[in-house]
Structure formats: C-alpha cells, structure tokens
Amino acid sequence: MNKKKIFNKLQEIVGKDYVSDDQEELFIYSMDPGASEPRSVDFVAMPESVEQVQNIVRLANEEKIPIIPMGGGLTLSGLVIPVNSGIVLDMKRMNKILEIDETNRYAKIEAGVSAGKLFSYLEKNYPNLEVSIPDAPPSVTIAGNTLIHGSGFLSQKYGNHGDMLNGLEVVLPNGEVCRMGSCAVSDHWFTRGPIPDFIGLFTSSFGTMGVATKLSIKLYPKPKMRDLVFGIYKEPELSTQLIWNVTQTELAEDILLGVQGKPDWMAGYVFIITYITGKNQDELDKKEKKLKRIYRKNGARYMKAPPRIREVFLEKPQFAAKAADFRKGGGFEYVGSFFPLSQAPEAIKRGIEISEKYGIIPTLGARVIDRAHNVMVFFSYSFNRADSEDMQNARNALHDTNVMSLELGGIPWKGELGAQQLILERMDPNYKYLLETIRNQLDPHGIMNPGNWEVK
Ligand SMILES: Cc1cc2nc3c(=O)[nH]c(=O)nc-3n(C[C@H](O)[C@H](O)[C@H](O)COP(=O)(O)OP(=O)(O)OC[C@H]3O[C@@H](n4cnc5c(N)ncnc54)[C@H](O)[C@@H]3O)c2cc1C
C-alpha cells in the first residue's frame, strides 16, 4: 500500500484540514471508551458530501484499503476501531437537518447529525413533535444509533430505533448511491414499504454493507406532561408478570428496570420506572393510581421517587453514565442483549452473579421494547483503564455475559468481535451463507469494516 499516495488523494477529496495521519490524532481513533484493546488506524477522513464519500469509497476499492464508518464512536464495543487498519470515515461534518416534514412526521437528516442536535432543534422549532433518542451522550449520531438497533425513551411505545427508520441513502461498497424505502420511488421519505425492504440489511451490520449518508426517522406527537412511577421489589422473577401487566394497560411510555449495588439503599432490589404522559395533572394522577395498584398486585412496592431520582430520570437524554460505577481511570463497557420477556429475569440474576464473580459492583437493568415484544437487558462493567488486569477482568465478564445471553435464548446487542463470533457459531448455516453471499457480492474487495461479522 502506498500510504503517501492514499494520503494525497484523500487530501484532494476532502481538503487538507479534514484528513489526518498524525499519530496523535489517530490515537483517538484507535480506541473507544470501552474495554477493547486499541488497534491501529492508517487515516481519518471527514467527508462533507455524498460525492466525497463516493470518491473515498472508490479510492478504497482501488487501493484495497478498509473503510470504517463512524458516527459518535460511542457504542463502547469497539465497532469503529479498525480490525485491519484503514480509513476511519468520521461522518460528523455531514450534520445537516435537511427537512422536517411536520405533516408526515419524519425528519430527513444527514448521517452525521447528532442525537443532541436533532432533539434540541425539534424542541425549539417543532414543540409538538419529538424523536426517540438513546440515553447516551448527546454527541452520538442518529445514524450510528438507528443502525445498531438502539433504543430510547419512546421504544416501549414505538419499537427500537432501527424500526423507526423510514428511509436510507447509502453509498454502496462500489461507490454508487442507493436509496431505500419510499424515497427509492417517491420524493417523500415516509415509509419502508411496500417494496422489498433492504434497509434491514444495513441495520446491525456495523458498517459492513455500505456508508449511510442520509436517513429519514419517524417523529412522534409530544405529550404535554410526563412523569414517572417508581417501584421496587426483591425478586427479579417478579419482573415478567409485572411488565406483562403494565404493558397490557397501554399506560406506559417507557419502562426501565434497574439493579444497582450503589447507593447502599438500592442494593438487593430491582427497581422499576414506568413513564406516563398526559394532558394535565389529573390524567397523570389517574394513571399513577392504576399503576400503583398493578405494582402492589405483582409484589412490587410503590415508592414516591426521591426528587433527585425524578430529576435524573426525567432528563432527556438521561445522563445514564451517572449510574455507572466509574472507578479511578474511568472506563466502562456497557453491553446489552435482546431477550424475550420470559428470559429477562434469569438474565438479570445471572448478570448480578457475573458482576459479583468478577468483583464489579452490579449495575444493570433493562428497557422494555415495543410492549415487551423484546427486552433489552444491559450490563455495565466498570474498570480502571490504567490497570490492564482490571480491563481484562471486565472483558472476561463481558464474555461470560455473551455466553449466558445466548444460552438463555437472547442475542448480544452491538456485539464486539468476540460476541459476533459467538453469534455466528450458533447461526443457522443458511443465514450465514446468505450473509456471506450478499456481502461478497456487494463488497468483492472486502473494504467495508472487515473483521466484523466475518464468516470464517
Ligand atoms: C453512557 C452511555 C449510555 C448509553 N445509552 C444508550 C441507550 O440508552 N440506548 C442506546 O441505544 N444506546 C446507548 N448507548 C450506546 C451508544 O452510545 C449509542 O447506541 C450510540 O447512539 C451509538 O451511536 P454512535 O454515533 O456513537 O455510533 P458509532 O459507534 O459511531 O457507530 C455504531 C455502528 O454503526 C456504524 N455506523 C455509524 N455511522 C454509520 C454510517 N454513516 N454508515 C454506515 N455505518 C455507520 C459504525 O461502523 C458502527 O458499526 C450508550 C452509551 C453510553 C456511553
């Protein structure tokens, strides 16, 4: 590989200020805040337009150099750290909100638009509409999040964020632009069907199928008021019936479960937070009353949420990192797995055991997705980044969690390389065949985030 030549070409494409091979700058892209080992990066390039992305993809094909599309880089599972070096394509300059279609309730945006930007733009300009964002730092991108089947405060009601994609524009691995969803046929980016739906090929494929450049995401009516109903219980087993009964009422906007070893008063309990919305206080009071009754009938104790807890949990996005047990050196790997509701309590119990086995203060929980058709159970393992043994400890906990998830019939979410291989080991051989065939067909030179979802 002629690095000098590639660098010069990248400069021609994006301009000299937006490409780098400086070791100091590449260092930042060689790792993420999770527990993955740093890996080497050749270049970082920041395109500003679809044409620039196309030219970079064409260059990568000519030079057989990998491309790793990156949004906020905050999945924590090493998904944007190159496996075989290459060009990290940092999408943050493509950050235009292109259209808010108020009547048809969608936002058409470039792939580098952050969750914080779209959320605050809507708050200011379209106070009747909102977008579901993850409880992640606001700098994460809507594209990065929807493309990993992320979830947020409207996911209980409307599904995971991958399901909220109405349309997608991608630069395919051959450099051609392809639009998917209604925008392949019409000027309105309002739906995925009724044509063969290929958007799914790009979700949770971790940048291996192409580079998303634009997308349309669903917007929803914004309620006037929002509150939460807090409860605690001892036995994780109670969760299944409790969640089933709460979702059966259709009262919940969002449902979160949590287990935290700290502060001390929370240790040994599972807490449930059901979010309710309404037009006025009276409506909220009625909903709260109903939910209190359900909590009690299902063995949970209703608690008036302490003001600090209300404040933290009503914030959008919640600063979820506050719940993590940051140790000196401040690292944490936050992973999750999708489970059927029936398996979620056992996953929580085993997650606590895994944390204890590795001497990590239990910090885990769950978000109910789409009326409990799916429960995303998350496990947070903190470590001291300056202590390599401690980091290995977190990785071992992570591995045990992935194995446990698959044993229980769940599927690790936004899985790091190890998790991807564990999933592939169990995957129906014909599904694997399909995956490999489509990928080889689309990307014969293997330039798109190679190493991820690698069928061996
Ligand atoms: C404190 C904390 C709390 C969190 N809470 C939540 C939560 O509540 N819900 C949730 O869902 N997640 C959560 N996360 C996880 C994660 O931060 C988010 O899911 C985040 O939105 C991922 O977006 P990103 O822009 O950082 O993606 P990235 O890490 O940049 O990318 C994710 C994947 O998408 C690919 N990708 C990115 N952009 C493109 C593109 N343009 N084209 C093709 N592929 C692309 C990348 O290659 C990578 O494989 C949390 C993380 C932290 C640190």
Side-chain angles (χ1 to χ4, degrees):
M1 184 201 313
N2 184 339
K3 281 199 171 184
K4 186 77 197 140
K5 180 177 154 206
I6 297 174
F7 183 75
N8 289 343
K9 290 231 169 153
L10 285 171
Q11 271 199 337
E12 275 169 33
I13 297 169
V14 293
K16 69 174 175 44
D17 290 340
Y18 297 105
V19 57
S20 178
D21 61 355
D22 275 2
Q23 288 310 307
E24 290 82 353
E25 279 164 343
L26 298 186
F27 175 75
I28 296 167
Y29 291 87
S30 71
M31 54 167 70
D32 72 5
S36 301
E37 295 279 9
R39 297 191 287 260
S40 80
V41 183
D42 292 314
F43 308 100
V44 55
M46 298 183 80
E48 196 188 17
S49 65
V50 181
E51 293 69 29
Q52 290 184 2
V53 174
Q54 288 182 277
N55 288 335
I56 294 173
V57 172
R58 287 183 185 126
L59 172 67
N61 272 300
E62 277 160 32
E63 300 295 333
K64 316 274 183 301
I65 181 171
I67 290 183
I68 300 89
M70 171 182 164
L74 278 168
T75 48
L76 306 177
S77 39
L79 297 182
V80 298
I81 312 175
V83 179
N84 304 322
S85 301
I87 308 168
V88 174
L89 204 64
D90 184 334
M91 299 296 288
K92 288 189 198 68
R93 283 176 78 211
M94 293 184 65
N95 64 357
K96 288 190 211 67
I97 296 174
L98 300 168
E99 182 190 358
I100 303 294
D101 186 329
E102 196 172 2
T103 309
N104 299 310
R105 291 205 185 95
Y106 65 80
K108 183 174 145 194
I109 59 176
E110 288 187 327
V113 170
S114 70
K117 178 166 176 167
L118 183 58
F119 189 80
S120 55
Y121 184 82
L122 291 170
E123 227 174 24
K124 193 164 164 212
N125 301 294
Y126 296 87
N128 294 328
L129 291 177
E130 62 185 352
V131 60
S132 187
I133 53 169
D135 287 316
S139 61
V140 301
T141 59
I142 298 280
N145 184 254
T146 50
L147 291 176
I148 57 161
H149 284 111
S151 54
F153 69 101
L154 296 180
S155 290
Q156 190 307 114
K157 230 173 153 178
Y158 302 115
N160 73 61
H161 294 162
D163 291 347
M164 294 178 187
L165 278 170
N166 271 335
L168 196 61
E169 178 189 89
V170 295
V171 173
L172 295 170
N174 65 0
E176 295 299 319
V177 178
C178 176
R179 288 186 174 175
M180 284 164 285
S182 58
C183 64
V185 182
S186 142
D187 287 339
H188 301 281
W189 293 47
F190 70 111
T191 179
R192 283 162 84 140
I195 52 175
D197 182 8
F198 294 146
I199 289 178
L201 202 56
F202 292 80
T203 43
S204 288
S205 56
F206 306 153
T208 58
M209 299 286 174
V211 183
T213 43
K214 291 188 190 80
L215 60 91
S216 156
I217 182 150
K218 291 180 185 171
L219 304 177
Y220 298 96
K222 188 173 179 176
K224 285 211 159 40
M225 296 175 78
R226 179 177 276 129
D227 207 343
L228 54 84
V229 186
F230 192 82
I232 53 170
Y233 50 100
K234 279 256 179 209
E235 303 301 332
E237 288 86 347
L238 298 176
S239 310
T240 309
Q241 198 57 43
L242 176 59
I243 291 173
W244 200 88
N245 287 338
V246 171
T247 45
Q248 194 71 0
T249 64
E250 294 281 20
L251 293 179
E253 181 188 57
D254 188 12
I255 305 172
L256 296 176
L257 300 186
V259 172
Q260 285 182 208
K262 291 277 172 198
D264 289 342
W265 69 269
M266 278 190 167
Y269 288 101
V270 181
F271 66 82
I272 177 165
I273 300 179
T274 304
Y275 289 78
I276 48 175
T277 57
K279 286 188 259 334
N280 50 43
Q281 193 57 45
D282 189 43
E283 191 182 340
L284 291 181
D285 290 345
K286 283 189 183 128
K287 288 184 178 175
E288 185 180 32
K289 213 167 145 190
K290 272 197 196 162
L291 286 168
K292 268 192 209 172
R293 223 178 297 135
I294 293 176
Y295 280 12
R296 284 181 190 136
K297 271 198 180 156
N298 289 278
R301 186 146 58 90
Y302 163 80
M303 269 182 72
K304 187 138 193 70
R308 221 191 85 66
I309 290 199
R310 281 191 80 242
E311 204 181 291
V312 168
F313 283 97
L314 281 171
E315 202 180 349
K316 302 282 175 240
Q318 286 168 35
F319 184 40
K322 278 181 190 162
D325 165 37
F326 280 179
R327 297 190 204 168
K328 185 178 171 223
F332 87 112
E333 177 99 24
Y334 147 70
V335 294
S337 294
F338 285 10
F339 286 99
L341 174 62
S342 56
Q343 305 301 84
E346 185 60 21
I348 291 174
K349 277 171 66 178
R350 302 247 203 124
I352 296 170
E353 283 165 18
I354 292 171
S355 301
E356 285 167 351
K357 174 176 164 194
Y358 290 100
I360 299 169
I361 295 171
T363 310
L364 58 149
R367 172 165 256 142
V368 175
I369 315 280
D370 189 13
R371 296 165 178 85
H373 287 111
N374 168 16
V375 179
M376 200 279 280
V377 181
F378 53 87
F379 312 85
S380 169
Y381 300 123
S382 61
F383 54 86
N384 176 355
R385 188 171 293 287
D387 178 341
S388 56
E389 259 180 49
D390 205 27
M391 275 183 88
Q392 188 53 46
N393 196 43
R395 277 184 219 118
N396 294 343
L398 179 61
H399 173 76
D400 286 9
T401 308
N402 292 331
V403 171
M404 173 274 285
S405 299
L406 287 159
E407 266 172 24
L408 292 181
I411 306 176
W413 167 60
K414 67 179 173 69
E416 80 294 352
L417 297 174
Q420 292 170 30
Q421 283 309 317
L422 288 172
I423 296 170
L424 285 167
E425 275 168 27
R426 275 160 212 251
M427 196 180 262
D428 167 8
N430 287 330
Y431 199 108
K432 271 202 295 204
Y433 166 77
L434 202 58
L435 178 66
E436 201 185 9
T437 308
I438 293 172
R439 192 165 170 192
N440 290 343
Q441 190 68 29
L442 283 179
D443 184 14
H445 297 132
I447 57 160
M448 292 308 309
N449 212 357
N452 284 275
W453 289 129
E454 208 69 72
V455 178
K456 291 180 178 156

